[in-house]
Amino acid sequence: NQAIGAQGTIYTVWAGNNEVLGAALAAVAIDGVTLTPVAAFQQQFTTLVGAIRQQRPNAAIVVATVPEVTAIPFVTTVQPYIFTPQGQKVYLLGESGPLTDNDRVTLPASALIQQGYGIPGTGLLLPEGSFDPATLTLTQGYILRGQEIGAIRTRTAEVNAVIKAVAGATGAAVLDANAIFNDILLNGYRVGGVSLTAAFL
């Protein structure tokens, strides 16, 4: 309502990131808990962009897609394994068993790993995270299993499909932030003589 009341000539709408980001930050991917259901996002996004188009029919509208949140440094910096002094690769241990190359460990886990969590032989396991539907309590984890990463990526693709469909129905332009971020992942981005990447600083 504030945006419409401002009687703008150009509107930018970048919504949808938090529909998937919470799952990566909590290291728990559950539909309706840390992942917004597609139907709910579609209804809200359609209402949002539709209201702008209806009230400001001559304004330009630009919507942006959602980047791949499982590729941010928060998720990719800490590897699911360590190396022994002899150079042997050893996978970390979570509450649900050993990690694999398909799993990710979130950045805050680095402090726990330094204390021995996840290291075979210490008896200390990296927390996986959970949700108790009885008390509606979400417990943050530190491991994203491959299946959870897949769920986040799928929901990201679904959210982006909604964004593009609503843009098409309302005559809005699409800024594909997801494609831009994927290009930065592959090639980096140079600005002002500085090369920016998706690696942890």
Side-chain angles (χ1 to χ4, degrees), residues 22-60:
L25 297 181
V28 179
I30 302 175
D31 192 36
V33 178
T34 57
L35 293 169
T36 300
V38 177
F41 176 73
Q42 183 170 20
Q43 186 274 324
Q44 294 168 1
F45 194 75
T46 301
T47 299
L48 171 62
V49 180
I52 295 172
R53 174 55 71 218
Q54 182 179 21
Q55 297 297 319
R56 302 295 299 158
N58 297 320

Side-chain angles (χ1 to χ4, degrees), residues 56-149:
R56 302 295 299 158
N58 297 320
I61 302 174
V62 179
V63 299
T65 59
V66 177
E68 177 55 66
V69 298
T70 62
I72 62 176
F74 186 86
V75 177
T76 60
T77 300
V78 181
Q79 298 302 319
Y81 51 79
I82 60 169
F83 288 98
T84 67
Q86 295 75 30
Q88 181 183 6
K89 185 177 181 179
V90 179
Y91 286 91
L92 298 170
L93 299 175
E95 293 171 332
S96 298
L99 278 67
T100 71
D101 288 324
N102 295 323
D103 302 323
R104 298 288 179 265
V105 182
T106 61
L107 191 57
S110 57
L112 292 178
I113 294 170
Q114 289 177 354
Q115 298 172 40
Y117 283 86
I119 308 297
T122 64
L124 302 173
L125 303 176
L126 282 174
E128 301 266 356
S130 62
F131 176 72
D132 183 350
T135 62
L136 301 179
T137 303
L138 175 66
T139 302
Q140 179 179 340
Y142 298 88
I143 297 169
L144 277 170
R145 295 289 181 173
Q147 184 176 2
E148 293 176 303
I149 293 170

